[in-house]
Amino acid sequence: MNITGGISIDDPAIDLAVVAAILSSNEDIPIGEGYCFAGEVGLSGEIRPVNRVDQRIQEAEKLGFSTIFVSKYNKISLKNTFIKVKLVSKIEDVASELFE
């Protein structure tokens, strides 16, 4: 992926957001403003867990997101959050949640 301005990203948790943007472009359907993504994507399309998922969920909620997509393999210990946490295991799960 080419990012204008030379920005470098070292966090693999951005993988899922990039894939969601590509899927959105391919389907020509915009992703809603309230969605957030945190997951690493493997070569076969599996969504891998990321570090500090509880912190990521809390931060997404603070920023006003209504839904966050994370790997179903993450161990989430948060309770009583207002943000909806979507647990996904494959890219196909994300696509079906976003575009069907």
Side-chain angles (χ1 to χ4, degrees), residues 17-31 98-99:
V18 171
V19 169
I22 293 168
L23 289 172
S24 171
S25 177
N26 186 56
E27 295 293 322
D28 201 23
I29 301 172
I31 295 174
L98 289 174
F99 308 119

Side-chain angles (χ1 to χ4, degrees), residues 78-90:
L78 290 175
K79 305 282 189 249
N80 302 325
T81 58
F82 294 106
I83 191 169
K84 186 175 191 176
V85 178
K86 296 272 190 173
L87 301 174
V88 292
S89 62
K90 303 175 289 191

Side-chain angles (χ1 to χ4, degrees), residues 16 46-48 69-73 86-95 97:
L16 188 54
E46 78 275 8
I47 311 301
R48 297 180 182 159
F69 288 78
V70 297
S71 173
K72 77 173 193 175
Y73 304 110
K86 296 272 190 173
L87 301 174
V88 292
S89 62
K90 303 175 289 191
I91 290 298
E92 293 87 355
D93 299 340
V94 177
E97 289 281 343

Side-chain angles (χ1 to χ4, degrees), residues 51-62 68 77-78:
N51 294 329
R52 299 183 312 276
V53 72
D54 288 339
Q55 286 178 289
R56 293 174 194 274
I57 293 169
Q58 287 176 325
E59 193 62 29
E61 186 175 46
K62 285 181 195 175
I68 185 167
S77 60
L78 290 175

